[in-house]
């Protein structure tokens, strides 16, 4: 242990680049014999960070489970790389935050409050209700953000660049700025941003704290200009900040924060390679057997309240009720993977999806035709197989920061695919010219768009798909990450 301690002290405060996010690039589980097993994660942030060829860059993240917490405790100051874990070429500092503090901050504030506000999800006659319980959660959220700010302040070299990620860490930039004014700090929001009149649902002090927290950054990044302008409008409305709409800056209490728009794209090389591996081919064969020579409507989502799966199923049911010519000629492949099962609203929503799926089968299925194939267990190769097979892709979120599925399907589609896309998805800004746009609340119009997609000629589908794929891959994850870093 002595050598590690020496190595640790020389590594303190030497990171020129740091990333902070709730979920890190690795997670742990405990094997039957009590040893820790490490699993590396994927996603845009992981491939983005791989663009930095610097082993002294540090990723700060939270321990998400008991095995993570044990790994963090057993590593010097939570530095997994110094404990000999293979974390992928970067240094990783995992924070062992008290489980109850973490649960209050993550479930109570981040996922049950900020997420709900930005996705406009509240049924306002009954929720939200900011009572004493919420104040306990808010204190935990402050403590959680402080733990991140302290760790970043300790790890950062003088004048280092720090990229703070998402709504979990909205207070961190200002806390870090107070401790280390020399740092160049960026914050990136992967969600939409609520318009001022809806954002004002939050208690006034909380609403202001979230805004001033992000304004502690030199740059605040968003997935679309629409979300950036909504943030600016909230700053003007609630803080009296000065907004320069042309330069996209917000000035408050003598400091100016630049707003950046970075529309995260799909990773074309990875997707095309991964979509043609044997495990995907195998699942594609199984799906083709199940579908036969019928057309396919495909959706792939987490069972997330904002994804609007129930209205999507209602639209499919309306299509079958009003256009009987599609009976026995189309199959809806719906993959709805579990999400946030520790929250009651999500469990209820998953049950509602399952109920409606059963009703559709009961109403329309015949001995030779299953109109709906629903899977609720996560299977990435099967998702890629469905992307390749899709004649129509349905992406109809109530509201979405980006929605990468809308960008991934055109990239891996075998024969071209009509994209039915909600105007409330961030991806709509880039894909609207070649997508079939829908209002996510309008079930009948969505059914009509599905019909339009199904009767679209193969030539038109192929042409649209080519243009969609080009737009979808304009800013791949590594470039997305480097653009933000360079802007700092």
């Amino acid at each position: 242990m002595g050598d590690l301690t020496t190595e640790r002290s020389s590594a303190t405060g030497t990171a020129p680049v740091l990333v902070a996010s709730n979920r890190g690039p690795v997670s742990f589980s405990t094997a039957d014999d009590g040893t820790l097993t490490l699993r590396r994660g994927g996603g845009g942030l992981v491939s983005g960070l791989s663009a930095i060829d610097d082993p002294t860059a540090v990723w700060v993240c939270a321990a998400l489970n008991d095995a993570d917490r044990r790994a963090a405790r057993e590593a010097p100051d939570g530095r997994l790389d110094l404990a000999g874990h293979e974390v992928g070429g970067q240094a990783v500092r995992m924070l062992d935050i008290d489980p109850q503090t973490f649960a209050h901050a993550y479930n109570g504030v981040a996922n049950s409050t900020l997420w709900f506000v930005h996705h406009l999800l509240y049924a306002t006659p009954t929720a939200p209700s900011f009572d004493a319980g919420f104040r306990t959660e808010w204190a935990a959220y402050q403590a959680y953000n402080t733990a991140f700010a302290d760790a970043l302040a300790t790890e950062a070299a003088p004048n280092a660049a720090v990229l703070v990620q998402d709504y979990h860490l909205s207070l961190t930039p200002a806390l870090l700025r107070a401790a280390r004014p020399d740092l160049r700090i960026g914050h990136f929001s992967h969600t939409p941003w609520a318009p001022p009149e809806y954002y004002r649902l939050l208690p006034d002090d909380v609403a202001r704290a979230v805004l001033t927290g992000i304004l502690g950054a030199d740059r605040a990044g968003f997935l679309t200009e629409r979300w950036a302008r909504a943030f600016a409008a909230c700053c003007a409305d609630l803080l009296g900040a000065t907004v320069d709409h042309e330069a996209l800056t917000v000035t408050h209490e003598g400091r100016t924060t630049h707003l950046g728009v970075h529309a995260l794209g799909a990773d074309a090389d990875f997707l095309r390679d991964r979509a043609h591996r044997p495990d995907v081919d195998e699942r594609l064969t199984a799906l083709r057997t199940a579908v036969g020579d019928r057309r396919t409507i495909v959706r792939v989502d987490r069972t997330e309240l904002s994804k609007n799966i129930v209205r999507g199923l209602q639209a499919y049911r309306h299509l079958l009720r009003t256009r009987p010519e599609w009976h026995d000629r189309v199959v809806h492949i719906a993959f709805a993977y579990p999400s946030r099962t520790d929250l009651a609203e999500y469990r209820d929503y998953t049950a509602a999806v399952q109920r409606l799926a059963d009703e559709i089968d009961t109403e329309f299925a015949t001995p030779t035709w299953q109109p709906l194939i629903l899977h609720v267990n996560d299977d990435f190769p099967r998702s890629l197989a469905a992307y390749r097979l899709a004649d129509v892709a349905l992406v109809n979120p109530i509201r979405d920061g980006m929605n990468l599925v809308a960008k991934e399907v055109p990239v891996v589609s075998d024969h071209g695919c009509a994209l039915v896309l909600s105007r409330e998805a961030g991806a709509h800004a880039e894909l609207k010219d070649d997508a079939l746009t829908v209002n996510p609340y309008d079930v009948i119009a969505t059914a009509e768009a599905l019909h339009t997609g199904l009767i679209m000629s193969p030539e038109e589908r192929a042409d649209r798909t080519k243009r969609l794929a080009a737009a979808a891959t304009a800013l791949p994850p590594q470039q997305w990450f480097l653009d933000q870093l360079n802007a700092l």
Side-chain angles (χ1 to χ4, degrees):
M1 196 66 187
D3 292 348
L4 283 179
T5 312
T6 318
E7 196 181 335
R8 175 76 195 102
S9 59
S10 66
T12 300
T14 59
V17 177
L18 301 94
V19 171
S21 64
N22 176 66
R23 182 182 295 279
V26 296
S27 60
F28 291 89
S29 54
T30 310
D32 292 341
D33 63 358
T35 56
L36 288 172
T37 307
L38 178 147
R39 197 169 72 85
R40 295 200 59 201
L45 207 53
V46 172
S47 53
L49 192 61
S50 68
I52 302 173
D53 190 20
D54 187 340
T56 61
V58 174
W59 189 328
V60 178
C61 59
L64 304 185
N65 59 41
D66 288 341
D68 282 358
R69 280 187 274 274
R70 182 183 141 197
R73 276 196 300 273
E74 290 176 0
D77 283 343
R79 276 284 294 271
L80 302 178
D81 51 304
L82 299 183
H85 293 294
E86 181 35 62
V87 290
Q90 260 91 31
V92 176
R93 179 164 176 166
M94 190 174 267
L95 305 181
D96 174 23
I97 294 168
D98 168 73
Q100 192 172 22
T101 301
F102 178 84
H104 282 327
Y106 180 72
N107 284 331
V109 176
N111 287 344
S112 293
T113 304
L114 297 180
W115 178 275
F116 270 63
V117 166
H118 288 318
H119 290 84
L120 317 185
L121 291 178
Y122 280 119
T124 52
T126 53
S129 183
F130 295 115
D131 55 11
F134 173 76
R135 287 296 160 177
T136 303
E137 292 168 344
W138 177 245
Y141 184 78
Q142 290 170 308
Y144 165 92
N145 273 262
T146 301
F148 270 87
D150 291 348
L152 291 165
T154 306
E155 295 285 353
N159 305 308
V162 185
L163 292 169
V164 179
Q165 303 296 316
D166 230 357
Y167 59 103
H168 314 93
L169 297 174
S170 60
L171 308 182
T172 298
L175 293 166
L176 183 57
R177 165 87 46 217
R180 290 286 304 273
D182 61 303
L183 300 177
R184 293 165 296 141
I185 304 169
H187 182 276
F188 195 87
S189 293
H190 294 261
T191 61
W193 197 274
E197 61 276 16
Y198 201 92
Y199 184 74
R200 278 184 173 279
L201 287 176
L202 291 170
D204 293 353
D205 61 318
V206 170
R208 286 194 296 267
V210 168
L211 295 173
T212 54
I214 290 174
L215 290 178
D218 298 290
R219 289 187 90 254
F222 298 88
L223 289 163
T224 71
E225 191 178 315
R226 182 183 175 189
W227 312 142
R229 292 198 181 280
F231 173 79
C234 287
C235 291
D237 196 40
L238 281 84
L239 303 176
T242 305
V243 176
D244 182 330
H245 293 282
E246 215 152 297
L248 260 188
T249 61
V250 176
T251 304
H252 178 58
E253 294 182 346
R255 280 199 74 257
T256 297
T257 299
H258 293 262
L259 307 188
V261 176
H262 303 277
L264 175 63
D267 188 338
D269 294 341
F270 164 75
L271 285 168
R272 287 184 180 129
D273 170 65
R274 186 66 189 85
H276 289 87
R277 293 207 194 144
D279 58 344
V280 177
D281 289 336
E282 195 181 298
R283 286 159 176 79
L284 183 60
T285 303
L287 282 175
R288 279 209 179 104
T289 303
V291 168
D293 58 1
R294 301 175 182 91
R295 315 305 291 279
T296 56
I297 299 169
V298 166
R299 78 171 304 138
V300 176
D301 291 295
R302 295 191 320 282
T303 309
E304 167 62 72
L305 305 181
S306 59
K307 299 297 183 187
N308 208 21
I309 299 167
V310 166
R311 287 191 194 89
L313 291 174
Q314 288 170 342
Y316 181 59
R317 179 171 66 184
H318 185 79
L319 175 79
L320 296 181
R321 281 177 175 173
T322 55
R323 294 194 177 271
E325 67 266 31
W326 287 114
H327 289 192
D328 205 20
R329 288 185 53 220
V330 67
V331 174
H332 185 14
I333 299 171
F335 296 160
Y337 300 142
S339 177
R340 299 182 187 164
T341 47
D342 43 358
L343 297 178
E345 297 99 323
Y346 285 77
R347 292 195 298 275
D348 293 346
Y349 191 72
T350 304
V353 167
Q354 188 67 64
R355 244 191 336 270
L356 185 50
D358 292 343
E359 286 170 19
I360 290 169
D361 265 338
T362 302
E363 187 172 346
F364 297 105
T366 68
T368 56
W369 173 49
Q370 188 184 349
L372 177 66
I373 297 173
L374 175 73
H375 283 295
V376 293
N377 54 325
D378 200 345
D379 186 332
F380 184 55
R382 188 178 57 208
S383 298
L384 290 173
Y387 289 179
R388 286 178 56 188
L389 184 65
D391 293 304
V392 179
L394 175 58
V395 180
N396 67 320
I398 290 168
R399 199 171 165 84
D400 222 331
M402 177 53 68
N403 196 296
L404 279 177
V405 171
K407 292 186 166 187
E408 290 168 351
V409 176
V411 174
V412 300
S413 169
D414 279 354
H415 306 293
C417 173
L419 175 63
V420 175
L421 180 62
S422 164
R423 65 189 184 200
E424 298 303 315
H428 186 257
E430 298 158 272
L431 306 183
K432 60 179 181 285
D433 290 349
D434 288 291
L436 301 170
T437 298
V438 292
N439 168 353
Y441 298 96
D442 190 337
V443 168
I444 292 173
T446 303
E448 279 307 297
L450 293 175
H451 174 70
T452 303
L454 288 168
I455 62 172
M456 191 182 286
S457 74
E459 298 74 31
E460 186 184 347
R461 268 196 330 210
D463 287 345
R464 284 183 186 236
T465 302
K466 257 193 220 82
R467 293 191 295 268
L468 287 167
T473 55
L475 191 63
Q478 293 193 329
Q479 196 55 50
W480 169 82
F481 187 86
L482 289 174
D483 282 1
Q484 292 173 69
L485 196 55
N486 295 336
L488 274 180

